[in-house]
Amino acid sequence: MTDPSHPLDLAADPFEVARTAAADIARLTGIAHHDIAVTLGSGWGQAADLIGETVATIPATEVTGFSKPALDGHVGTLRSVATPDGRHVLVIGARTHYYEGHGVRRVVHSVRTAAATGATTMVLTNGAGGLKRGWTPGQPVLISDQLNLTADTPLEGATFIDMTDLYAARLRAIAREVDPSLDEGVYTQLRGPQYETPAEVRMVGAIGGDIVGMSTALEAIAARQAGMEVLGFSLITNLAAGISPTPLSHEEVIESGRAAESRISQLLADVIGRL
Ligand code: HPA
């Protein structure tokens, strides 16, 4: 589903569009350079208020290449937040999901834009299903590695990028200093938007996945390509299909995000304060 009037579908070079978007952000926020970027997925929204002082909030639709959010529970804004120690955090509350069908360039545009604003650390958060024994809905976990089962990639052409330390061990160690009880797991991105069948969840478990979701893996690849260090958090909003005794519902996912929101948002803000 390409849109011939969209700048990313028109452009020969998506990084050029990201540089234009970064210039829009600098103009609209008055902040020329950001140090860290964080994408807030379902359940993580309150972190924006806890990281520091909001300098500016802008509708994502005013920034080149950004699309309207497809879903309730996903805030369509970009915020510039100043931490108490004077760093600038770009808070991205406008995620374009792969299942929206607009192509991977739009999915990773926010990450490329974050890199173009100067950010060298990308924090990716999401709400996701959990496979690991002992995990319970409402629990935040670190992402240790990923399986990209979308059969797609943000890389175009012969672009060979090392993925060995994709979710930086250095940053995970910092997160564990803040909360030593944080467990970690392998994030698995499927295309969605249907939730998995129990058979698909068994497959994910058999090939080494611990978390199932519909975002993040493609974004992490783009962040790595842009040279950023990546930190990933999943909020386990539900046990994955077949592990959960009840059918999955979007309402349940949003509700358990809400219930955990203030606790995990504080955790995220504390971690960002240490990065
Ligand atoms: N599967 C995929 N995506 C999700 C889930 C899930 O169980 N929960 C929240 N997002």
Side-chain angles (χ1 to χ4, degrees):
M1 226 199 307
T2 53
D3 169 0
S5 67
H6 193 282
L8 279 169
D9 295 343
L10 279 170
D13 177 8
F15 296 94
E16 184 59 42
V17 184
R19 284 191 289 274
T20 305
D24 292 340
I25 290 170
R27 177 172 44 82
L28 294 165
T29 63
I31 303 297
H33 176 100
H34 286 85
D35 304 289
I36 296 173
V38 52
T39 298
L40 299 179
S42 18
W44 298 91
Q46 286 175 19
D49 293 325
L50 303 170
I51 293 165
E53 193 186 324
T54 297
V55 177
T57 303
I58 51 181
T61 44
E62 287 184 21
V63 178
T64 302
F66 279 74
S67 315
K68 276 205 208 65
L71 271 185
D72 295 344
H74 295 246
V75 202
T77 59
L78 298 172
R79 276 211 224 184
S80 182
V81 177
T83 63
D85 64 0
R87 286 170 310 151
H88 295 287
V89 180
L90 181 67
V91 180
I92 301 164
R95 182 174 248 150
T96 298
H97 286 88
Y98 189 66
Y99 56 68
E100 291 171 48
H102 299 302
V104 199
R105 279 187 176 187
R106 286 215 231 169
V107 170
V108 302
H109 179 59
S110 60
V111 168
R112 288 181 172 154
T113 298
T117 69
T120 51
T121 305
M122 185 74 229
V123 183
L124 297 170
T125 68
N126 59 56
L131 276 76
K132 253 198 199 179
R133 201 181 291 272
W135 283 359
T136 51
Q139 176 176 353
V141 299
L142 282 167
I143 301 176
S144 59
D145 202 347
Q146 73 181 30
L147 296 166
N148 170 15
L149 298 191
T150 64
D152 212 336
T153 172
L155 307 183
E156 299 181 25
T159 309
F160 305 109
I161 306 287
D162 178 59
M163 293 282 134
T164 309
D165 190 33
L166 180 56
Y167 294 92
R170 188 183 81 80
L171 301 183
R172 276 182 280 145
I174 294 171
R176 271 203 221 84
E177 279 167 26
V178 174
D179 181 355
S181 75
L182 272 173
D183 199 2
E184 62 180 29
V186 174
Y187 181 86
T188 308
Q189 180 175 357
L190 294 103
R191 296 172 61 116
Q194 73 282 1
Y195 291 119
E196 300 71 34
T197 62
E200 286 164 342
V201 169
R202 286 196 299 277
M203 174 193 75
V204 167
I207 62 175
D210 302 304
I211 305 164
V212 279
M214 305 177 195
S215 63
T216 303
L218 295 169
E219 297 168 10
I221 295 169
R224 204 70 206 87
Q225 179 190 24
M228 291 192 275
E229 257 191 317
V230 182
L231 178 63
F233 281 101
S234 289
L235 166 67
I236 303 303
T237 55
N238 57 281
L239 300 179
I243 297 176
S244 168
T246 54
L248 272 52
S249 77
H250 178 62
E251 289 67 35
E252 176 204 2
V253 166
I254 296 295
E255 183 44 43
S256 64
R258 261 194 213 111
E261 187 149 7
S262 61
R263 189 167 45 87
I264 64 170
S265 294
Q266 187 62 56
L267 166 68
L268 180 60
D270 291 346
V271 171
I272 288 172
R274 299 253 203 129
L275 293 178

